[in-house]
Short mmCIF file of all heavy atoms in Angstrom, two decimals:
data_model
loop_
_atom_site.label_atom_id
_atom_site.label_comp_id
_atom_site.label_asym_id
_atom_site.label_seq_id
_atom_site.Cartn_x
_atom_site.Cartn_y
_atom_site.Cartn_z
N SER G 1 112.76 46.71 153.65
CA SER G 1 113.95 46.63 152.77
C SER G 1 115.11 47.35 153.46
O SER G 1 114.96 48.13 154.42
CB SER G 1 113.63 47.32 151.45
OG SER G 1 113.40 48.75 151.65
N LEU G 2 116.30 47.12 152.88
CA LEU G 2 117.47 47.86 153.45
C LEU G 2 117.35 49.33 153.35
O LEU G 2 117.71 50.07 154.26
CB LEU G 2 118.74 47.34 152.70
CG LEU G 2 120.05 47.99 153.15
CD1 LEU G 2 120.32 47.76 154.64
CD2 LEU G 2 121.22 47.46 152.32
N GLY G 3 116.83 49.79 152.26
CA GLY G 3 116.63 51.22 152.10
C GLY G 3 115.67 51.84 153.11
O GLY G 3 115.93 52.93 153.65
N MET G 4 114.61 51.15 153.44
CA MET G 4 113.66 51.60 154.42
C MET G 4 114.29 51.47 155.81
O MET G 4 114.04 52.39 156.66
CB MET G 4 112.32 50.80 154.31
CG MET G 4 111.58 51.06 153.05
SD MET G 4 110.03 50.10 152.94
CE MET G 4 109.00 51.10 154.01
N GLN G 5 115.06 50.49 156.07
CA GLN G 5 115.73 50.38 157.38
C GLN G 5 116.68 51.61 157.57
O GLN G 5 116.74 52.14 158.67
CB GLN G 5 116.54 49.08 157.47
CG GLN G 5 115.72 47.81 157.63
CD GLN G 5 116.56 46.61 157.79
OE1 GLN G 5 117.64 46.63 158.31
NE2 GLN G 5 116.06 45.47 157.28
N ARG G 6 117.33 51.98 156.48
CA ARG G 6 118.20 53.11 156.57
C ARG G 6 117.49 54.46 156.76
O ARG G 6 117.94 55.39 157.40
CB ARG G 6 119.09 53.17 155.35
CG ARG G 6 120.17 52.09 155.44
CD ARG G 6 121.24 52.18 154.38
NE ARG G 6 122.31 51.33 154.75
CZ ARG G 6 123.08 50.73 153.86
NH1 ARG G 6 122.94 50.93 152.57
NH2 ARG G 6 124.12 49.97 154.27
N ARG G 7 116.24 54.55 156.30
CA ARG G 7 115.43 55.68 156.59
C ARG G 7 115.12 55.76 158.04
O ARG G 7 115.16 56.84 158.67
CB ARG G 7 114.07 55.58 155.82
CG ARG G 7 114.18 55.93 154.36
CD ARG G 7 112.77 56.21 153.77
NE ARG G 7 112.59 55.75 152.46
CZ ARG G 7 111.56 55.96 151.71
NH1 ARG G 7 110.48 56.52 152.29
NH2 ARG G 7 111.46 55.48 150.48
N VAL G 8 114.81 54.60 158.64
CA VAL G 8 114.52 54.57 160.09
C VAL G 8 115.78 55.02 160.89
O VAL G 8 115.66 55.74 161.84
CB VAL G 8 114.03 53.14 160.49
CG1 VAL G 8 113.83 53.11 161.99
CG2 VAL G 8 112.80 52.76 159.78
N ALA G 9 116.95 54.51 160.47
CA ALA G 9 118.18 54.87 161.14
C ALA G 9 118.42 56.36 161.07
O ALA G 9 118.91 57.00 162.01
CB ALA G 9 119.35 54.09 160.60
N LEU G 10 118.07 56.95 159.93
CA LEU G 10 118.24 58.36 159.70
C LEU G 10 117.25 59.16 160.64
O LEU G 10 117.66 60.14 161.25
CB LEU G 10 117.99 58.70 158.25
CG LEU G 10 118.49 60.07 157.77
CD1 LEU G 10 119.91 60.30 157.99
CD2 LEU G 10 118.14 60.18 156.22
N ALA G 11 116.03 58.68 160.71
CA ALA G 11 115.02 59.31 161.57
C ALA G 11 115.48 59.22 163.03
O ALA G 11 115.31 60.22 163.73
CB ALA G 11 113.69 58.61 161.41
N ARG G 12 116.00 58.10 163.46
CA ARG G 12 116.46 57.94 164.84
C ARG G 12 117.61 58.94 165.11
O ARG G 12 117.68 59.50 166.19
CB ARG G 12 116.97 56.50 165.08
CG ARG G 12 117.43 56.21 166.48
CD ARG G 12 117.75 54.77 166.65
NE ARG G 12 118.82 54.37 165.75
CZ ARG G 12 119.20 53.06 165.61
NH1 ARG G 12 118.56 52.09 166.22
NH2 ARG G 12 120.17 52.81 164.77
N ALA G 13 118.48 59.15 164.10
CA ALA G 13 119.60 60.09 164.35
C ALA G 13 119.07 61.53 164.53
O ALA G 13 119.55 62.24 165.40
CB ALA G 13 120.52 60.06 163.13
N PHE G 14 118.05 61.92 163.70
CA PHE G 14 117.58 63.26 163.83
C PHE G 14 116.65 63.45 164.99
O PHE G 14 116.32 64.59 165.36
CB PHE G 14 116.84 63.67 162.57
CG PHE G 14 117.75 64.15 161.45
CD1 PHE G 14 118.09 63.34 160.39
CD2 PHE G 14 118.26 65.45 161.50
CE1 PHE G 14 118.98 63.80 159.39
CE2 PHE G 14 119.05 65.93 160.51
CZ PHE G 14 119.45 65.10 159.46
N ALA G 15 116.23 62.39 165.65
CA ALA G 15 115.29 62.48 166.79
C ALA G 15 115.88 63.29 167.94
O ALA G 15 115.09 63.97 168.62
CB ALA G 15 114.90 61.05 167.29
N ILE G 16 117.15 63.26 168.09
CA ILE G 16 117.78 64.02 169.24
C ILE G 16 118.13 65.43 168.80
O ILE G 16 118.71 66.18 169.60
CB ILE G 16 118.97 63.29 169.81
CG1 ILE G 16 120.07 63.21 168.72
CG2 ILE G 16 118.61 61.93 170.32
CD1 ILE G 16 121.46 62.77 169.29
N GLU G 17 117.81 65.85 167.58
CA GLU G 17 118.24 67.15 167.02
C GLU G 17 119.67 67.36 167.31
O GLU G 17 120.14 68.25 168.01
CB GLU G 17 117.37 68.27 167.67
CG GLU G 17 115.93 68.18 167.34
CD GLU G 17 115.14 69.42 167.68
OE1 GLU G 17 115.69 70.29 168.40
OE2 GLU G 17 114.01 69.55 167.18
N PRO G 18 120.57 66.61 166.65
CA PRO G 18 121.97 66.64 166.89
C PRO G 18 122.65 67.92 166.50
O PRO G 18 122.27 68.57 165.52
CB PRO G 18 122.54 65.45 166.08
CG PRO G 18 121.59 65.37 164.91
CD PRO G 18 120.25 65.67 165.53
N ASP G 19 123.66 68.32 167.28
CA ASP G 19 124.54 69.44 166.86
C ASP G 19 125.53 68.91 165.78
O ASP G 19 125.88 69.61 164.83
CB ASP G 19 125.41 69.92 168.03
CG ASP G 19 124.49 70.37 169.20
OD1 ASP G 19 123.58 71.14 169.00
OD2 ASP G 19 124.75 69.90 170.34
N VAL G 20 125.96 67.68 166.01
CA VAL G 20 126.92 67.07 165.05
C VAL G 20 126.38 65.69 164.59
O VAL G 20 125.97 64.85 165.46
CB VAL G 20 128.30 66.84 165.76
CG1 VAL G 20 129.27 66.10 164.82
CG2 VAL G 20 128.92 68.18 166.20
N LEU G 21 126.36 65.48 163.28
CA LEU G 21 125.84 64.27 162.71
C LEU G 21 127.04 63.49 162.01
O LEU G 21 127.56 64.05 161.04
CB LEU G 21 124.67 64.54 161.73
CG LEU G 21 124.15 63.36 160.99
CD1 LEU G 21 123.52 62.33 161.92
CD2 LEU G 21 123.04 63.82 159.95
N LEU G 22 127.35 62.34 162.51
CA LEU G 22 128.39 61.51 161.92
C LEU G 22 127.74 60.42 161.08
O LEU G 22 126.78 59.75 161.50
CB LEU G 22 129.23 60.88 162.93
CG LEU G 22 129.85 61.81 164.02
CD1 LEU G 22 130.62 61.00 165.09
CD2 LEU G 22 130.73 62.86 163.36
N MET G 23 128.22 60.20 159.80
CA MET G 23 127.61 59.24 158.93
C MET G 23 128.70 58.46 158.21
O MET G 23 129.59 59.05 157.54
CB MET G 23 126.71 60.03 157.90
CG MET G 23 125.70 60.92 158.48
SD MET G 23 124.47 61.62 157.30
CE MET G 23 123.44 60.13 157.16
N ASP G 24 128.64 57.16 158.39
CA ASP G 24 129.65 56.25 157.90
C ASP G 24 129.12 55.44 156.72
O ASP G 24 128.58 54.39 156.90
CB ASP G 24 130.17 55.35 159.01
CG ASP G 24 131.38 54.55 158.58
OD1 ASP G 24 131.90 54.72 157.45
OD2 ASP G 24 131.85 53.70 159.36
N GLU G 25 129.32 55.97 155.47
CA GLU G 25 128.84 55.32 154.23
C GLU G 25 127.42 54.72 154.39
O GLU G 25 127.20 53.53 154.16
CB GLU G 25 129.82 54.19 153.86
CG GLU G 25 131.22 54.73 153.67
CD GLU G 25 132.05 53.96 152.67
OE1 GLU G 25 131.60 53.68 151.61
OE2 GLU G 25 133.25 53.60 153.07
N PRO G 26 126.43 55.57 154.82
CA PRO G 26 125.10 55.05 155.10
C PRO G 26 124.28 54.59 153.91
O PRO G 26 123.25 53.96 154.04
CB PRO G 26 124.42 56.26 155.77
CG PRO G 26 125.09 57.45 155.17
CD PRO G 26 126.53 57.00 155.02
N PHE G 27 124.77 54.91 152.66
CA PHE G 27 124.01 54.59 151.48
C PHE G 27 124.66 53.45 150.69
O PHE G 27 124.29 53.20 149.53
CB PHE G 27 123.83 55.81 150.55
CG PHE G 27 123.24 56.99 151.31
CD1 PHE G 27 123.68 58.30 151.02
CD2 PHE G 27 122.30 56.84 152.32
CE1 PHE G 27 123.10 59.38 151.66
CE2 PHE G 27 121.75 57.90 153.00
CZ PHE G 27 122.16 59.18 152.66
N THR G 28 125.67 52.81 151.24
CA THR G 28 126.36 51.75 150.52
C THR G 28 125.44 50.55 150.33
O THR G 28 124.49 50.32 151.13
CB THR G 28 127.66 51.35 151.28
OG1 THR G 28 128.39 50.47 150.48
CG2 THR G 28 127.33 50.61 152.59
N SER G 29 125.69 49.79 149.27
CA SER G 29 124.94 48.52 148.95
C SER G 29 123.48 48.82 148.53
O SER G 29 122.65 47.88 148.54
CB SER G 29 124.87 47.57 150.15
OG SER G 29 126.22 47.24 150.55
N LEU G 30 123.15 50.04 148.21
CA LEU G 30 121.81 50.40 147.71
C LEU G 30 121.87 50.60 146.24
O LEU G 30 122.87 51.07 145.70
CB LEU G 30 121.31 51.66 148.42
CG LEU G 30 121.05 51.60 149.93
CD1 LEU G 30 120.66 52.94 150.47
CD2 LEU G 30 120.02 50.54 150.30
N ASP G 31 120.74 50.34 145.55
CA ASP G 31 120.67 50.71 144.14
C ASP G 31 120.68 52.22 144.00
O ASP G 31 120.30 52.96 144.99
CB ASP G 31 119.49 50.10 143.49
CG ASP G 31 118.16 50.62 144.06
OD1 ASP G 31 117.71 51.71 143.60
OD2 ASP G 31 117.59 49.96 144.93
N GLU G 32 121.00 52.73 142.87
CA GLU G 32 121.24 54.20 142.74
C GLU G 32 119.97 55.00 142.99
O GLU G 32 119.99 56.03 143.56
CB GLU G 32 121.74 54.50 141.33
CG GLU G 32 122.25 55.93 141.18
CD GLU G 32 123.33 56.35 142.15
OE1 GLU G 32 124.12 55.48 142.64
OE2 GLU G 32 123.38 57.58 142.52
N ALA G 33 118.84 54.48 142.53
CA ALA G 33 117.58 55.19 142.77
C ALA G 33 117.25 55.31 144.25
O ALA G 33 116.85 56.39 144.72
CB ALA G 33 116.41 54.49 142.02
N THR G 34 117.43 54.26 144.98
CA THR G 34 117.14 54.27 146.42
C THR G 34 118.12 55.20 147.13
O THR G 34 117.77 55.97 148.00
CB THR G 34 117.24 52.87 146.99
OG1 THR G 34 116.29 52.03 146.38
CG2 THR G 34 116.92 52.86 148.52
N ALA G 35 119.43 55.09 146.73
CA ALA G 35 120.41 55.97 147.36
C ALA G 35 120.07 57.43 147.10
O ALA G 35 120.26 58.30 147.99
CB ALA G 35 121.80 55.60 146.83
N ASP G 36 119.66 57.74 145.90
CA ASP G 36 119.33 59.12 145.58
C ASP G 36 118.14 59.61 146.39
O ASP G 36 118.14 60.79 146.80
CB ASP G 36 118.99 59.26 144.06
CG ASP G 36 120.10 60.01 143.30
OD1 ASP G 36 120.98 60.63 143.95
OD2 ASP G 36 120.09 59.96 142.08
N ARG G 37 117.12 58.77 146.57
CA ARG G 37 116.05 59.17 147.46
C ARG G 37 116.47 59.46 148.85
O ARG G 37 116.07 60.46 149.48
CB ARG G 37 114.97 58.12 147.47
CG ARG G 37 114.11 58.06 146.16
CD ARG G 37 112.84 57.22 146.38
NE ARG G 37 113.17 55.83 146.56
CZ ARG G 37 113.29 54.92 145.66
NH1 ARG G 37 113.22 55.29 144.31
NH2 ARG G 37 113.53 53.63 145.90
#
């Protein structure tokens, strides 16, 4: 699902242990329950 794909994208971002994390409306188009999770 789109929500699970976004979890993977989030995991990939944290994989490098970033100093700076840029996020461009990553929870858009999700239902409220999924976005809250």
Side-chain angles (χ1 to χ4, degrees):
S1 67
L2 179 59
M4 293 181 76
Q5 288 182 33
R6 287 188 166 151
R7 286 197 214 182
V8 178
L10 195 57
R12 183 176 59 191
F14 276 102
I16 64 169
E17 295 192 347
D19 303 310
V20 177
L21 176 60
L22 307 177
M23 307 191 75
D24 187 5
E25 304 207 50
F27 307 145
T28 190
S29 303
L30 296 175
D31 64 82
E32 190 57 29
T34 301
D36 251 347
R37 284 195 293 272

